[in-house]
Amino acid sequence: MLRYVLRRAIATIPVLIGISLVLFVGIRMLPGDPATAILGQHATPAAVIQVRHELGLDQPIYVQYASYVWQLLHGDLGVSYLNNKSVLSQFGTRFPATVELTLAAMIVAVGFGVPLGRIAARQPRSGIDGVVTVLSVTGVAIPVFVLGLTLQYLFGVVLPFLPTTGRLDTRLTFGIPATTHFMLLDTLLAGRPDALVDALRHLVLPALTLGSIPLAIVTRMTRAAYSDVAKEDYVRTARSKGLTESRVDSRHIMRNAWIPVITIIGLQFGSLLGGAVITETVFGWDGVGSWVVSAILNHDYFVVQSCVLIFALIFVVVNLVVDVLYGFLDPRVRDAR
C-alpha cells in the first residue's frame, strides 16, 4: 500500500507541472493588463510601462515562468499585484471558509443522499423510487445560482427565518478573534454559544445550495450501486443461510456498494473545494472562490494561478485518499496493488 501511495504521489508531479504551464500561459493570453488594473483606466502609457517593468511583465514569458517555478520550489506563491500581500497568507485566511462550506455541503449530500438511495433501491419501481428519482434529476437540473436566490427569497424575505449573506452577524463579531478562521471553531474557542448558533444559521442556506447537485448525484449513484450488488449471487447465498436482512444489507450489500459511492463523494468533495465560486458570490461568503473571481477580473496573475494550482493539488490528494480507501473496503483491490 505504501509503495502504491508513493507511486501515485510521484505521478502527480508531471500533472502539476503541466497544469501550471497551461495555466501560466493561458492567463497571460486573456485580454487586459495587471498594470492597467492597478493604475486605473486613466493611467498614462509611461506609468503603465513602469509598473509592468516593476512587476517583471515586460520580460519574455519563459523567463516569467522560470521565475514563478523557482518561487514555487521555495514555497513562495507570490504576492498579489493589487495589495502587495502574500498569496499564501491570503489563501490561508480565506480557505477555511471554503472548507467549512464544503464540509457542510457534503454532510447534506451524504447524510441525505445515501439513505434516499438505499430506500429507493429497496423499493424499485415504487412511488418512493419515483419521487426520489424526480428529486435527484431536479437537483442536477436546477442551476446553483437559481436555487440560491430562490432560497434567499423564501427564507430571507417570505419566511425570514435564516440570514441570507455573510458568515456571522456583524454585531456578534466583537470579542471573537480569528484564531483558526473557521467560524464555527472560533466561536467555540471564544466561548460564545450565541455566535455559534448564528454562524450555524448563516451556514444553512449556502450549504443546501452548494450540496444540491452532490446530493442528487450521490442519491442516484447509491441507488444504482445498491441495486447492482443486491443482484449478486453471494447476496442470495447470504440470505439462503438465514442471515437477517439488516446483516445482509450492512455486511454484504452496502460494504460493496460503498466503493463507487465513495468515488463520487471524493470527486464531488474535491470539485466543491475549487468550485464554490457561484455559491460564495450569491451568499457573500468570504471564501477562496469569490476571491479568485475578483482576481480574474483584475488580472491578478499570481492569485489566480496559485489558487488553481492548489485546487489541482487538493483534487489529486482527495483522489489518492479515495484510492487508499478502496483497499480497506475491497481486499481484491488491495491485493491487486
Side-chain angles (χ1 to χ4, degrees):
M1 181 66 72
L2 179 59
R3 182 180 300 176
Y4 172 79
V5 173
L6 291 175
R7 188 165 63 248
R8 285 293 305 273
I10 294 174
T12 62
I13 296 176
V15 173
L16 294 176
I17 292 175
I19 292 175
S20 67
L21 180 59
V22 172
L23 186 65
F24 191 91
V25 176
I27 291 177
R28 281 156 179 74
M29 293 177 64
L30 295 175
D33 183 46
T36 304
I38 294 172
L39 297 174
Q41 58 181 349
H42 301 295
T44 63
V48 172
I49 292 175
Q50 181 180 355
V51 171
R52 285 183 57 83
H53 176 71
E54 293 174 354
L55 298 177
L57 298 175
D58 56 347
Q59 297 179 345
I61 192 168
Y62 63 87
V63 176
Q64 297 182 47
Y65 180 71
S67 177
Y68 176 62
V69 172
W70 181 254
Q71 286 181 299
L72 289 179
L73 293 176
H74 288 78
D76 182 8
L77 298 181
V79 296
S80 170
Y81 290 151
L82 300 180
N83 54 26
N84 204 35
K85 293 182 179 179
S86 168
V87 173
L88 186 60
S89 64
Q90 294 181 84
F91 184 88
T93 60
R94 290 177 175 268
F95 190 55
T98 299
V99 173
E100 197 171 63
L101 178 57
T102 299
L103 288 175
M106 290 308 300
I107 289 174
V108 171
V110 178
F112 288 97
V114 173
L116 286 175
R118 294 175 69 173
I119 292 172
R122 289 173 181 173
Q123 305 177 50
R125 300 183 183 86
S126 64
I128 295 178
D129 186 21
V131 171
V132 171
T133 301
V134 170
L135 291 177
S136 62
V137 172
T138 304
V140 174
I142 298 179
V144 172
F145 70 91
V146 172
L147 179 60
L149 294 174
T150 302
L151 291 177
Q152 283 181 328
Y153 177 72
L154 289 177
F155 297 100
V157 179
V158 179
L159 302 171
F161 294 152
L162 296 170
T164 58
T165 185
R167 301 177 65 194
L168 187 68
D169 192 322
T170 54
R171 294 170 296 183
L172 300 176
T173 56
F174 180 76
I176 303 179
T179 306
T180 65
H181 298 286
F182 288 94
M183 189 61 69
L184 300 180
L185 187 56
D186 285 343
T187 54
L188 280 174
L189 294 176
R192 293 284 302 278
D194 57 332
L196 174 62
V197 172
D198 187 73
L200 287 171
R201 294 177 69 248
H202 277 80
L203 188 59
V204 172
L205 294 184
L208 290 175
T209 302
L210 186 62
S212 60
I213 294 180
L215 168 60
I217 295 174
V218 170
T219 300
R220 300 187 67 179
M221 178 55 68
T222 303
R223 183 195 180 283
Y226 190 99
S227 299
D228 290 341
V229 175
K231 299 175 184 177
E232 295 291 338
D233 293 337
Y234 59 82
V235 174
R236 288 193 291 268
T237 302
R239 288 196 175 102
S240 67
K241 290 180 178 179
L243 296 179
T244 61
E245 192 61 31
S246 61
R247 186 170 179 80
V248 172
D249 179 271
S250 60
R251 183 82 176 182
H252 297 278
I253 299 179
M254 276 309 298
R255 182 169 183 176
N256 293 280
W258 269 116
I259 296 176
V261 174
I262 284 181
T263 302
I264 292 298
I265 293 174
L267 293 175
Q268 291 298 312
F269 181 75
S271 63
L272 288 187
L273 284 174
V277 176
I278 297 177
T279 304
E280 290 184 1
T281 302
V282 170
F283 289 94
W285 198 264
D286 195 20
V288 177
S290 56
W291 179 44
V292 172
V293 170
S294 176
I296 293 174
L297 296 176
N298 291 288
H299 307 284
D300 201 342
Y301 291 161
F302 274 121
V303 171
V304 178
Q305 61 199 24
S306 298
C307 286
V308 174
L309 193 62
I310 293 174
F311 287 144
L313 178 60
I314 291 173
F315 194 83
V316 170
V317 171
V318 169
N319 278 272
L320 179 60
V321 172
V322 170
D323 287 344
V324 172
L325 287 177
Y326 279 175
F328 293 99
L329 292 173
D330 191 347
R332 295 171 299 179
V333 177
R334 183 171 62 247
D335 295 340
R337 294 170 182 172

